[in-house]
Amino acid sequence: MKVVVTGGAGFMGSHLTEALTKKGDVVVFDNFSSGKQEFLKKIDVGIIQGDIRNFKEVREASREANVVYHFAADPDVKRSSSEPLENFRVDVSGSLNVLEACRLNDVKQIVFASSSVVYGNAKMPTPEEAPIAPISNYGAAKAASEFYVSTYSQLYGIKATVLRYANIIGPRLTHGVIYDFYCKLKKNPKQLEILGDGNQKKSYLHVTDAVNATLMAAQKTGKYSLFNVGSEETITVKKISRLVVSTLGLKDVQYKYTGGRTGWPGDVPIMLLSIEKIKSLGWKPKFSIKESILDTLDWLKTHFR
Ligand code: NAD
């Protein structure tokens, strides 16, 4: 059983790869733009340095694969606003390259990392049936890719599993609000800039829980399945900032807010997914949001001193 993980050197991809190596042969396909070799150094895995924008490379890497986990993407919502064409090339064209390679190589299953951002500003907790209404180019790219995954499944019979993740955090995190606060406070422990008014309220899930949900969802029978993956709790950005500051043992930090309901163009300020569907498979989160944040900070403290 050969499994390919695109983006397998990244934050989520490396945890997923680690879990998959316990079950069979795994090949990571990654251009190392944000992924890191060191995330894979303790894992027995084949590594192909390549780019999903290059169809030939993807086709070659996925030859004889049974399953492809497609996790490579540029997940930066802000950059998708300032560089929409480049975001399209990676997050839409790249995904289509992966799907087309799967079709031509007769790959039996694709597991696609989508996102809560496809819902935009939705009612909460947001179920899988909620309308697709992204408010960022990154969200539009994920939605477009999901539609291609669906048509490839229907037209060519490829089994497809789509996961719409909430914010995922934990060891090896290299982006997002906790990482951002940590880096800013390392640079200047006296002041913390918070994007928006700090009242953005979202759900966060530990990467171990996300990987377990992914593996369970991938086992589900049927040609096409789609699941939200998140936690049942939310936390405000303001509360996260206080938790980061107190965990780092800092005092008298001056908080500076850039203001406005959102942190950046395309930001969805309030997000909580309904996870009833994935829970019906027997999965539930093991970590609370607080435990997940503290675990993330523990890792950052030992790796970015
Ligand atoms: P990440 O940036 O750590 O991982 C992405 C990986 O893809 C990296 O290893 C990077 O080097 C690789 N990559 C980027 N462009 C590539 C290209 N053109 N060709 C080949 N490899 C390329 O991000 P992550 O947080 O681990 O996210 C993994 C996936 O999950 C992404 O598809 C992301 O959109 C999705 N997702 C993440 C979250 C989250 O909160 N982390 C939430 C929802 C969805």
Side-chain angles (χ1 to χ4, degrees):
M1 172 92 164
K2 178 181 163 186
V3 172
V4 172
V5 184
T6 74
F11 160 54
M12 291 179 70
S14 62
H15 286 278
L16 175 67
T17 298
E18 204 168 343
L20 287 168
T21 51
K22 291 172 189 145
K23 297 166 186 257
D25 289 342
V26 186
V27 171
V28 162
F29 180 85
D30 202 298
N31 72 352
F32 293 93
S33 51
S34 62
K36 295 187 195 312
Q37 291 275 0
E38 70 200 62
F39 290 171
L40 301 171
K41 75 172 180 242
K42 290 190 187 139
I43 313 175
D44 181 16
V45 69
I47 299 176
I48 298 174
Q49 180 155 7
D51 200 300
I52 56 168
R53 286 167 293 189
N54 183 322
F55 175 68
K56 274 193 189 150
E57 288 180 0
V58 187
R59 170 114 204 244
E60 204 45 51
S62 55
R63 256 182 228 290
E64 284 163 27
N66 302 83
V67 187
V68 171
Y69 287 78
H70 177 35
F71 277 61
D74 181 351
D76 190 328
V77 174
K78 279 174 259 180
R79 195 160 44 233
S80 79
S81 284
S82 57
E83 297 171 42
L85 290 180
E86 193 44 35
N87 176 261
F88 180 90
R89 283 182 203 110
V90 178
D91 289 358
V92 184
S93 280
S95 294
L96 191 54
N97 282 341
V98 173
L99 282 163
E100 183 62 356
C102 287
R103 176 172 85 92
L104 297 178
N105 287 332
D106 203 18
V107 173
K108 300 291 175 240
Q109 184 179 6
I110 179 150
V111 180
F112 176 57
S114 186
S115 166
S116 62
V117 297
V118 299
Y119 297 118
N121 291 314
K123 73 163 191 178
M124 289 185 309
T126 313
E128 285 84 352
E129 303 74 43
I132 298 294
I135 57 164
S136 65
N137 292 329
Y138 167 68
K142 284 293 180 192
S145 299
E146 274 196 21
F147 285 132
Y148 276 115
V149 171
S150 169
T151 54
Y152 265 67
S153 176
Q154 285 183 51
L155 288 170
Y156 312 119
I158 302 173
K159 180 179 170 185
T161 313
V162 175
L163 291 319
R164 291 180 181 154
Y165 298 107
N167 290 312
I168 309 300
I169 58 175
R172 303 181 198 149
L173 188 69
T174 52
H175 53 89
V177 61
I178 297 157
Y179 179 81
D180 183 43
F181 285 169
Y182 179 84
C183 293
K184 281 176 175 165
L185 287 166
K186 275 278 134 196
K187 241 179 161 178
N188 181 0
K190 287 281 160 219
Q191 192 182 78
L192 180 61
E193 182 196 56
I194 296 177
L195 303 180
D197 60 10
N199 295 322
Q200 303 97 305
K201 201 179 193 185
K202 306 184 195 188
S203 147
Y204 296 80
L205 181 74
H206 195 282
V207 66
T208 307
D209 282 329
V211 167
N212 288 338
T214 307
L215 297 179
M216 207 172 266
Q219 293 305 315
K220 179 144 189 329
T221 52
K223 263 290 163 252
Y224 182 87
S225 43
L226 163 71
F227 296 95
N228 287 338
V229 178
S231 68
E232 286 169 318
E233 298 171 86
T234 54
I235 186 168
T236 63
V237 166
K238 208 178 267 177
K239 269 202 175 149
I240 294 177
S241 69
R242 302 316 191 255
L243 193 54
V244 175
V245 164
S246 66
T247 308
L248 296 185
L250 301 174
K251 293 213 165 62
D252 305 323
V253 174
Q254 191 201 347
Y255 297 95
K256 264 184 71 182
Y257 295 88
T258 60
R261 268 189 81 226
T262 63
W264 50 84
D267 182 23
V268 177
I270 315 269
M271 182 270 291
L272 176 67
L273 298 175
S274 162
I275 54 167
E276 293 310 312
K277 195 171 169 192
I278 184 92
K279 273 170 65 187
S280 74
L281 299 184
W283 173 88
K284 65 174 194 264
K286 291 199 175 106
F287 292 82
S288 68
I289 287 197
K290 190 170 176 194
E291 287 167 338
S292 306
I293 295 174
L294 294 180
D295 198 32
T296 308
L297 288 169
D298 248 11
W299 187 83
L300 288 170
K301 281 197 284 185
T302 45
H303 291 80
F304 294 92
R305 283 162 204 264

